[in-house]
């Protein structure tokens, strides 16, 4: 199985439970750790950070991307970032299911993107199920937020610090809390 075949497969949201899939996930995790260890253990200029992230993500990231390491991911090849994105320090991307970050997004410290979940019943608990996380344009994610699998956050939305986002967030709204709930509409 190739990385591209895997990325197509996870779009189906079917179980990640074959030996072939596990082998690819292990190989990709090893590569991601190799690059993130390099990224996170020394100072790098912004251009060097983007070069390392380009290798990690598997494409040339935008020159407008700003990331403050340390940065963590256990896959790396299923992250797509738009123009003018800022990702602050200590963020964790579990991106097997796919993470898409739209233009102009701002991600605070210690944000977790979790695109995998486990089966609920004990005999299925070792099985993982992917679902993507999608951020629209100009989304602001506050520090220490966790965004769970399958969540889409609409354009211009704000997620308050420390929130746990379990459901989609409408555009032009503010949410916060555990679990995240509607707080108010953002008016121009």
């Amino acid at each position: 199985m190739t990385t591209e075949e895997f990325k197509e497969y996870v779009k189906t949201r079917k179980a990640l439970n074959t030996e072939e899939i596990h082998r690819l996930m292990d190989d990709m995790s090893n590569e991601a750790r190799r690059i993130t260890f390099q990224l996170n253990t020394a100072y790098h200029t912004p251009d060097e950070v983007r070069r390392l992230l380009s290798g990690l993500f598997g494409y040339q990231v935008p020159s407008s991307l700003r990331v403050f390491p340390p940065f963590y991911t256990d896959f790396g090849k299923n992250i797509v970032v738009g123009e003018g994105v800022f990702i602050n320090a200590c963020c964790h991307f579990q991106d097997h299911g796919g993470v898409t970050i739209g233009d102009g997004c701002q991600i605070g410290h210690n944000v977790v993107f979790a695109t995998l979940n486990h089966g609920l019943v004990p005999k299925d608990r070792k099985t993982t199920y992917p679902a993507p996380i999608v951020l629209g344009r100009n989304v602001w994610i506050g520090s220490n937020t966790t965004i769970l699998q399958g969540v889409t956050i609409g354009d211009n939305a704000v997620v308050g610090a420390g929130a746990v986002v379990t459901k989609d967030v409408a555009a032009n709204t503010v949410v916060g809390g555990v679990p995240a709930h509607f707080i108010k509409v953002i008016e121009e």
Side-chain angles (χ1 to χ4, degrees), residues 65-76:
L65 173 63
R66 291 177 47 227
V67 175
F68 288 177
F71 176 88
Y72 304 97
T73 183
D74 57 0
F75 190 70

Side-chain angles (χ1 to χ4, degrees), residues 49-55 57-65 79 81-83:
V49 169
R50 284 187 288 275
R51 180 185 55 76
L52 288 163
L53 290 174
S54 293
F57 295 176
Y59 65 92
Q60 184 64 45
V61 300
S63 61
S64 58
L65 173 63
I79 300 170
V81 294
E83 294 288 339

Side-chain angles (χ1 to χ4, degrees), residues 61-127:
V61 300
S63 61
S64 58
L65 173 63
R66 291 177 47 227
V67 175
F68 288 177
F71 176 88
Y72 304 97
T73 183
D74 57 0
F75 190 70
K77 296 292 191 264
N78 212 358
I79 300 170
V80 177
V81 294
E83 294 288 339
V85 169
F86 173 69
I87 301 171
N88 218 324
C90 299
C91 289
H92 295 255
F93 283 63
Q94 181 196 56
D95 64 295
H96 292 84
V99 175
T100 301
I101 301 175
D103 295 344
C105 288
Q106 299 178 72
I107 313 299
H109 291 88
N110 299 315
V111 172
V112 174
F113 293 85
T115 66
L116 296 179
N117 202 356
H118 293 269
L120 183 60
V121 297
K123 67 180 180 181
D124 193 35
R125 206 137 308 142
K126 290 184 179 181
T127 302

Side-chain angles (χ1 to χ4, degrees), residues 152-158 167-175 182 186:
T152 296
I153 300 177
D155 293 349
N156 306 311
V158 175
K167 296 180 182 173
D168 290 353
V169 175
N172 302 302
T173 61
V174 176
V175 301
F182 172 82
I186 299 170

